[in-house]
Amino acid sequence: MKALKNMEAIFTIAVAIACGASYASFMQPSAVRTADVVQANAIPVVVVSAKRLTEQEKKISLIEERQALLGNATASTL
């Protein structure tokens, strides 16, 4: 029973410290500049400059990839 009372006291003190720390952190002045905020809100743009594969090229690529995987699988079992 005594151990439970101690745990309750530790929990209560931890919650009080956490609440006090969060209140103190909100009272601190923010050091964020407006340029940093504008830059953080910018949307990144990705440009892909490559040609698309045709159906035949896709099939050939998949076959070559499967052959490479099968070749590596048999070599690793030896």
Side-chain angles (χ1 to χ4, degrees), residues 3-51:
L4 290 177
K5 287 182 182 179
N6 289 339
M7 292 302 287
E8 183 181 355
I10 291 171
F11 176 75
T12 305
I13 292 170
V15 168
I17 290 172
C19 289
S22 78
Y23 181 74
S25 69
F26 283 123
M27 299 304 290
Q28 297 291 328
S30 79
V32 178
R33 289 186 235 136
T34 56
D36 293 339
V37 172
V38 171
Q39 192 174 23
N41 290 336
I43 299 173
V45 178
V46 177
V47 179
V48 178
S49 59
K51 67 173 194 153

Side-chain angles (χ1 to χ4, degrees), residues 35-67:
D36 293 339
V37 172
V38 171
Q39 192 174 23
N41 290 336
I43 299 173
V45 178
V46 177
V47 179
V48 178
S49 59
K51 67 173 194 153
R52 292 181 176 250
L53 296 175
T54 64
E55 281 296 318
Q56 291 175 341
E57 290 173 334
K58 287 180 188 177
K59 288 179 184 178
I60 292 171
S61 175
L62 285 173
I63 291 170
E64 289 174 350
E65 186 176 338
R66 287 180 186 152
Q67 287 175 347

